[in-house]
Each structure stands twice: as structure tokens, then as C-alpha cells.
Amino acid sequence: RKLDKSRQDRLYFDSYTDVTIHEEMIADHVRTNAYRTAILRNSESIRGKVVLDVGAGTGVLSVFCAQAGARKVYAVEACSIAEQAEKIVKQNSLEGTVEVVRGAVETVELPEMADVIVSEWMGYALLHESMLNSVLYARDRWLKPGGLLLPSRAELYIAPISDPVPEDRLHFWYTVKDQYGVDMSCMTDFARRCVRNSDITVSAVSGEDVLSHPARFAELDLRSVTAEELRSVRGKFRCESFGSAAVNAFCVFFTVTFPCSDGERPLLLSTSPFKPETHWKQAVLYLDAPVDVVQDTEVAGEKRQSKTFSIPDWSSEAQP
Amino acid sequence: RKLDKSRQDRLYFDSYTDVTIHEEMIADHVRTNAYRTAILRNSESIRGKVVLDVGAGTGVLSVFCAQAGARKVYAVEACSIAEQAEKIVKQNSLEGTVEVVRGAVETVELPEMADVIVSEWMGYALLHESMLNSVLYARDRWLKPGGLLLPSRAELYIAPISDPVPEDRLHFWYTVKDQYGVDMSCMTDFARRCVRNSDITVSAVSGEDVLSHPARFAELDLRSVTAEELRSVRGKFRCESFGSAAVNAFCVFFTVTFPCSDGERPLLLSTSPFKPETHWKQAVLYLDAPVDVVQDTEVAGEKRQSKTFSIPDWSSEAQP
């Protein structure tokens, strides 16, 4: 009677996930192409320089940096996937350029300082189990003054949404009596409580369920932010409802920005529900009960984002 | 960079799974209707009798037994879902009949012996994290001699299959070079190794991927089987391939049988890939490498099934 955690088609146990994680990251075209484009557009800053890749995984970003002309790339990776990175580097004949360094970036010793740090460190809703602390450590320890960070900025957004799934799932318990002759409608209370106690839900929010323009509530300048400041990222937000709906959740997502040395506009990697889906999807924080809004209702509050997630302190007010 | 374990649409963390597990079990019509029908068809044996429901969960099977006329139903449940079972019993005005007993069946004290034991104890591939040992304990401790067990028999089946998913996923690594200019084809070795080291994969096998009639390799008479015997369930099997194909896995599934006191044929709950899908789907055990078979190739071997799963000792031989 052990069951799937969700309605997924396929459930993989144990070590099969080792490869699935990397497969899904590489297969995420939005993510991988954003990094590839950002690295190639910064080749002026990378050519002949030293790059540090923090949490290199399969080493694909390191290979991009080598292809952009780096003199040396240190691909630091603590997990056993580093062995695969070694093989990929060899298969691409880049042993002379990319050096896979097995270990945590907090403990490894590199022979030289880096001109550039590249890292794909973002977790769900940006900071959920993210590697950003390691990147900040690497920045302070191994990046030359004035060195380049890819990406260099992160922004957090929030928007009220009306997600049909929880109501559909709650409604299920009212249908049991018709199906099997047993009244199980009291389970809706339990189901509501489970939703309320859950940590974050990661799901692909449909653009049509988003009830306002997303509001930015926090911005991190990765060149200067400290680990201390990350412990309590917070900010105010204010949205105006597009129309009448029942708000039953907030969705939180992020963007990161890559500066571009080719003089063009900075490159944005967005996980907005209005943009093509990424493997990060969006984080959804459910309310205890839906709140009705009408057009132009102001939904405002303050969102704190730390190791744990919680719904923001917020209120809504219809405009006079 | 933490990722979904699979391509699921929605990922629920923590306590939200509490309700999801029960929702998916109740929503599994094949499962729930089989139990409901079996209980109603045994109402002759249940009417006026004492029933013990082992691992009652939300108590839905206990309510079915009360509806079938049981004098008393003891719904034994160790987890906190027992609190919901209490509420459901009240909501259906069955407090006089169904008594929810919170605790492990190995430790609870009941005021009387039972005429009938009902339990939905089956795990993936029948025995993976199943509750069968608890049911056998309850049978030996609380079932009157000659009492009724629902279900009373379980059978395990195996069939060679040709599953396109692993090959598609391995092929992905050959496509990376075209997409991003990085040769990652060496990752296929790692991916194969991950598949090989994985425990079991639970997936809905399509009937068209099954290469022979499934062969039964084990049968458990639940009225007599012992916990000791469960430690090493095994049996020989022999299948004949329908046609030419590359065998890359075996699929394992089970059926359970309910005796019926109404004189009709016993009722079968089947998780065969040729029957409507259940939440158990099928268990898939991947081979290290595909093996070609032609029509009538005999695929034979011995399958052991214990706490861990492994591919059978097997061989294939084309018929002369």
C-alpha cells in the first residue's frame, strides 16, 4: 500500500535518479541555452582567462567556457557525477583546459584565482536547497577583484493565482458517496490541513491562472550579497487583480541575469509562468481558504523567503 | 538544482502526501470496486459476524463490511489516518458497528476473535513494502478456525517486455552534441549503470510492449502461508515470445483472489498490463542489455522475490 507521491507516470527509485537529475537539467533548453548563450556572448571576458565552475555536475557549463576560449576552467564538483564530468571533458578533447576538481568548493585548493565564476546554483523558488552559499564562498575566496559572475543578479517575483487543482482534489471526497456508497466528505478538512502544512509545491502554473502582473519583491546583487543577508530575504509587493476570481494561492518564481560583455542587453533566464516552462516550474504557496477579488483589487503584502517557505503577510482591498 | 525524480507534472512535499496516498487508493476504481464487490458478495459470511480490517486507513473497507451486515468491525490502523477513519465512521452513522482501534495489529488487544479478516495489504509487485506479515500475524492471533480471509490467495506473474523508454532516454545523450555542441554520449554508460543499480521501477507497462503470455511463478495461499515462507518466494517460469523483439526488461505483477460465498466464481483483482490500470501499475526489472528473441523463442528461468528485487536467472532459446 505504498503509493506514488503524485500522479506521475513513472516512479524511479534509488540510483536511477542519479542520471535523471542530470538528464532533466541538460534537457531543460531554456536553462541550458541561457547559460550557453551567456557564456558565448561573454567570450571577450572569458578568452584566455581562468574560470571557476561551482557545482559543475556533468561539466557542461565548463565545456561551454572552454569553447568560449577560456585558458583554464576549474570544474569543482563534490558528488560522484564528477567522474562523468571527467569523461565528458576527455570525450570533447578538453583535458588541457578543463580540470575537474572533486570536492566541496569550501575545501578544495585551486592553484590560482579565477577571472570568472560560472554556476547554476538555483533551487526551487531560487533559494530552496540552492547552492548559492557555496557560490558566495567561492566569490569571496577565489574570484579576482572585479571578476565576472555568471549570473550576477537574481530577482524574486510573486503573483496571486487561482489554481483549480486543489479545489478539484477537495471535491473528489464529495464524489466518493456516489461512487461507492460511503460518505467521505469529511476528508476535505484533513486534505485542507495537509495542503496548509505542506512545505512548497512545485508545479507548472498556467499563465491563465495568474491573476495579476507578477510583482518583484526581492533582488539579489550576487556580486555583493552576503550569506548573512540570504538568511532572511524579504520584500514588499503590490499587485492589482486583472479581474474577478478566487485567489487560492501565491506563485513565486525567479529570474537571473547575465551581464554581457558584447555590449548587448543583459541576458535574462526567466522562470515566469508567462515564459516557456523550465524544470524549476513555479513554487506555489496555498492559502487556508480562497479569497475573492474583483478587477483592480489591490493585493499587497510582504514576503519573507528563507530556508522555509510560508505564505506572505498580505491583504487585499478592492479599489474604490 | 534539486530536481523532480521524474517527469511528473506536480511534486508534493511533506505532509501533503498524507492525503494524496489515500486519495489515490480510493480513486483506484479497480481496487476499491473489487473489495466492495467481494465484501458484498460475501455478505452471507459477514452478516451478524465479527470482522477485523488490518491496516484500515480511512476505514472504507470497514464501512463496506458494516454495509454488508457485520455485527462488529474492528478497524485496526497504526497511523494517524485512524483519526479520519473515526470521523468517516461517524459521518456514516456506523459508530455502533465499526470500532477504530489505533495501533499495530501485532500489539492491539481486541475483545473477541474475528470471523472474517479483510485487508488491502498489497505493495508494489505484491511484496514490496507490503503489510502481509501483519495480516498473517492477525490471522494466527485473531481469526477463528475456519474463518474467512479476504483476499485468500495471491499469485505472481512475470513476462518479458520490450520497453521503449530506457532506449529513448539513453539515446538522449547522443542528441546533446547537436543541441549544444557538447558530446555527452559517454553518459549512456553511466545511465545504463544507474538503471542496473536501481531497485524496482514502477510504471504502467503498455500491453503492446509485453512479448509473451505472462507466466505465473508463485502462488500464496494466504490461509496457510507463513512469514518464514514469505522471506523467499520463488518459482520457475517459461514463456514463449509472440514474435521478434528485443527483450530489455521483465515485468512483474500480481493478482489476488476473493472467495465468494454466493456460489459464484471467485473474484479476481488483477494488476496485469492487459487489464485496466491500477495504482500498482507493474514492476519493471531492467536487463543490463537487450536480448533479441524471435517468434516462439522460449524465455525461461527462476524468479526469486523477497525484500529486494532482482532480475530472474533466465535464458532464452529459439525453438528449432
Side-chain angles (χ1 to χ4, degrees):
Chain A
R1 295 177 341 125
K2 184 167 172 277
L3 245 148
D4 299 16
K5 283 194 178 163
S6 75
R7 296 159 196 278
Q8 69 217 44
D9 284 334
R10 295 186 162 256
L11 182 65
Y12 294 94
F13 290 104
D14 300 345
S15 61
Y16 198 42
T17 59
D18 294 351
V19 69
T20 304
I21 286 171
H22 295 284
E23 185 182 330
E24 295 199 332
M25 285 197 292
I26 304 281
D28 179 343
H29 291 266
V30 174
R31 165 198 178 272
T32 308
N33 275 326
Y35 272 87
R36 186 178 186 220
T37 307
I39 289 165
L40 295 177
R41 283 180 54 189
N42 277 288
S43 51
E44 211 173 280
S45 311
I46 291 173
R47 196 169 302 119
K49 297 293 177 58
V50 175
V51 179
L52 167 56
D53 179 356
V54 179
T58 55
V60 65
L61 305 186
S62 293
V63 172
F64 291 157
C65 291
Q67 290 172 338
R71 171 171 68 75
K72 191 81 194 178
V73 184
Y74 297 101
V76 176
E77 173 57 53
C79 300
S80 61
I81 192 70
E83 295 162 26
Q84 304 310 311
E86 293 261 24
K87 286 177 193 166
I88 288 163
V89 167
K90 281 203 188 80
Q91 188 159 36
N92 290 274
S93 306
L94 291 168
E95 306 97 305
T97 309
V98 181
E99 185 174 329
V100 177
V101 182
R102 174 89 182 257
V105 78
E106 289 85 352
T107 56
V108 297
E109 275 301 317
L110 303 179
E112 57 189 324
M113 298 288 279
D115 301 287
V116 181
I117 287 180
V118 63
S119 181
E120 197 277 80
W121 51 267
M122 296 87 80
Y124 290 127
L126 195 67
L127 298 176
H128 194 72
E129 303 194 10
S130 93
M131 291 196 316
L132 182 52
N133 279 326
S134 296
V135 175
L136 300 188
Y137 178 93
R139 174 198 68 192
D140 296 342
R141 174 69 184 84
W142 295 111
L143 188 63
K144 289 182 189 168
L148 179 65
L149 263 174
L150 295 176
S152 64
R153 207 162 65 132
E155 289 164 288
L156 276 158
Y157 291 83
I158 191 168
I161 67 171
S162 180
D163 182 345
V165 170
E167 296 306 313
D168 289 352
R169 291 190 55 183
L170 291 174
H171 180 70
F172 166 79
W173 296 107
Y174 288 97
T175 69
V176 176
K177 185 157 191 189
D178 276 350
Q179 291 180 77
Y180 306 121
V182 180
D183 188 343
M184 297 188 87
S185 56
C186 61
M187 281 289 284
T188 53
D189 285 341
F190 176 65
R192 268 187 216 285
R193 219 157 45 238
C194 289
V195 172
R196 203 176 310 157
N197 292 338
S198 64
D199 188 7
I200 62 165
T201 300
V202 174
S203 74
V205 172
S206 165
E208 64 194 20
D209 295 336
V210 181
L211 301 176
S212 79
H213 292 294
R216 190 175 70 182
F217 68 90
E219 182 181 3
L220 304 176
D221 184 336
L222 303 175
R223 295 166 305 183
S224 57
V225 70
T226 64
E228 179 60 32
E229 286 165 346
L230 284 187
R231 266 181 231 162
S232 151
V233 173
R234 63 163 73 197
K236 292 188 192 306
F237 64 89
R238 196 171 65 201
C239 309
E240 282 185 7
S241 174
F242 292 142
S244 295
V247 177
N248 70 352
F250 283 94
C251 107
V252 172
F253 63 89
F254 64 90
T255 63
V256 296
T257 306
F258 301 88
C260 286
S261 62
D262 62 3
E264 297 289 321
R265 290 195 313 169
L267 190 145
L268 196 74
L269 165 54
S270 172
T271 64
S272 163
F274 296 112
K275 300 281 181 178
E277 189 176 323
T278 71
H279 76 275
W280 288 286
K281 296 168 184 158
Q282 287 82 37
V284 179
L285 301 160
Y286 290 103
L287 306 182
D288 291 356
V291 173
D292 288 324
V293 295
V294 296
Q295 191 179 331
D296 297 334
T297 293
E298 184 176 281
V299 174
E302 178 165 19
K303 180 78 188 79
R304 274 187 305 268
Q305 189 109 345
S306 53
K307 286 214 169 172
T308 58
F309 280 72
S310 55
I311 57 169
D313 300 323
W314 71 291
S315 61
S316 65
E317 195 172 344
Q319 295 304 295
Chain B
R1 298 178 337 126
K2 185 168 171 275
L3 245 150
D4 299 16
K5 283 193 179 163
S6 75
R7 295 159 197 279
Q8 68 216 44
D9 283 333
R10 294 186 164 258
L11 182 66
Y12 293 95
F13 289 104
D14 299 344
S15 60
Y16 197 41
T17 60
D18 294 353
V19 71
T20 304
I21 285 171
H22 296 285
E23 185 182 331
E24 295 199 333
M25 285 197 291
I26 305 282
D28 179 343
H29 290 265
V30 175
R31 164 197 178 273
T32 308
N33 274 327
Y35 272 87
R36 184 177 187 221
T37 307
I39 288 165
L40 294 178
R41 283 181 52 190
N42 278 287
S43 51
E44 210 172 281
S45 312
I46 292 174
R47 195 171 301 119
K49 298 292 177 59
V50 175
V51 178
L52 167 55
D53 180 356
V54 179
T58 56
V60 65
L61 304 186
S62 293
V63 172
F64 291 157
C65 291
Q67 291 172 337
R71 172 171 66 75
K72 189 83 195 176
V73 184
Y74 297 102
V76 176
E77 173 57 53
C79 300
S80 61
I81 191 71
E83 294 162 27
Q84 305 310 313
E86 292 262 24
K87 287 177 192 163
I88 289 163
V89 167
K90 282 205 187 79
Q91 188 158 35
N92 290 276
S93 306
L94 292 169
E95 305 97 306
T97 309
V98 181
E99 185 174 331
V100 177
V101 182
R102 174 88 182 257
V105 78
E106 290 84 353
T107 56
V108 298
E109 274 300 317
L110 302 180
E112 57 188 324
M113 297 288 278
D115 301 286
V116 180
I117 288 181
V118 64
S119 180
E120 197 277 80
W121 51 268
M122 296 87 79
Y124 289 128
L126 194 68
L127 299 176
H128 195 73
E129 302 194 11
S130 93
M131 291 196 318
L132 182 52
N133 279 325
S134 296
V135 175
L136 301 188
Y137 178 93
R139 175 197 68 192
D140 297 341
R141 173 72 185 83
W142 294 111
L143 188 63
K144 290 182 189 167
L148 179 65
L149 262 175
L150 294 175
S152 64
R153 206 162 64 131
E155 289 163 289
L156 276 158
Y157 291 83
I158 190 168
I161 67 171
S162 181
D163 182 344
V165 170
E167 297 305 313
D168 288 353
R169 292 190 55 183
L170 290 175
H171 180 69
F172 166 78
W173 297 107
Y174 287 97
T175 69
V176 176
K177 185 156 192 191
D178 276 351
Q179 291 180 77
Y180 304 121
V182 179
D183 188 343
M184 298 188 86
S185 56
C186 61
M187 282 288 284
T188 53
D189 285 342
F190 177 66
R192 269 187 216 284
R193 220 158 44 238
C194 290
V195 172
R196 203 176 308 158
N197 293 337
S198 63
D199 189 7
I200 63 166
T201 300
V202 174
S203 75
V205 172
S206 165
E208 64 194 20
D209 295 336
V210 181
L211 301 177
S212 78
H213 292 295
R216 188 173 74 183
F217 68 91
E219 183 181 3
L220 303 176
D221 184 337
L222 302 175
R223 295 167 304 184
S224 58
V225 71
T226 64
E228 177 60 31
E229 286 165 344
L230 284 186
R231 268 180 229 163
S232 151
V233 172
R234 64 163 73 196
K236 291 189 192 307
F237 64 90
R238 196 171 67 201
C239 308
E240 281 185 7
S241 174
F242 292 142
S244 295
V247 178
N248 69 353
F250 283 95
C251 108
V252 171
F253 64 90
F254 64 90
T255 64
V256 295
T257 307
F258 301 88
C260 284
S261 62
D262 62 4
E264 297 289 321
R265 289 196 312 167
L267 190 144
L268 195 73
L269 166 52
S270 172
T271 64
S272 163
F274 296 112
K275 300 280 183 179
E277 189 177 320
T278 71
H279 76 276
W280 287 286
K281 297 169 184 158
Q282 288 81 36
V284 178
L285 301 160
Y286 290 103
L287 305 183
D288 290 356
V291 172
D292 288 324
V293 295
V294 296
Q295 192 179 332
D296 296 335
T297 293
E298 185 177 282
V299 174
E302 178 164 20
K303 179 80 187 78
R304 276 185 304 266
Q305 190 109 341
S306 55
K307 286 212 170 172
T308 57
F309 280 71
S310 55
I311 56 169
D313 300 321
W314 72 293
S315 61
S316 65
E317 193 172 344
Q319 295 304 294

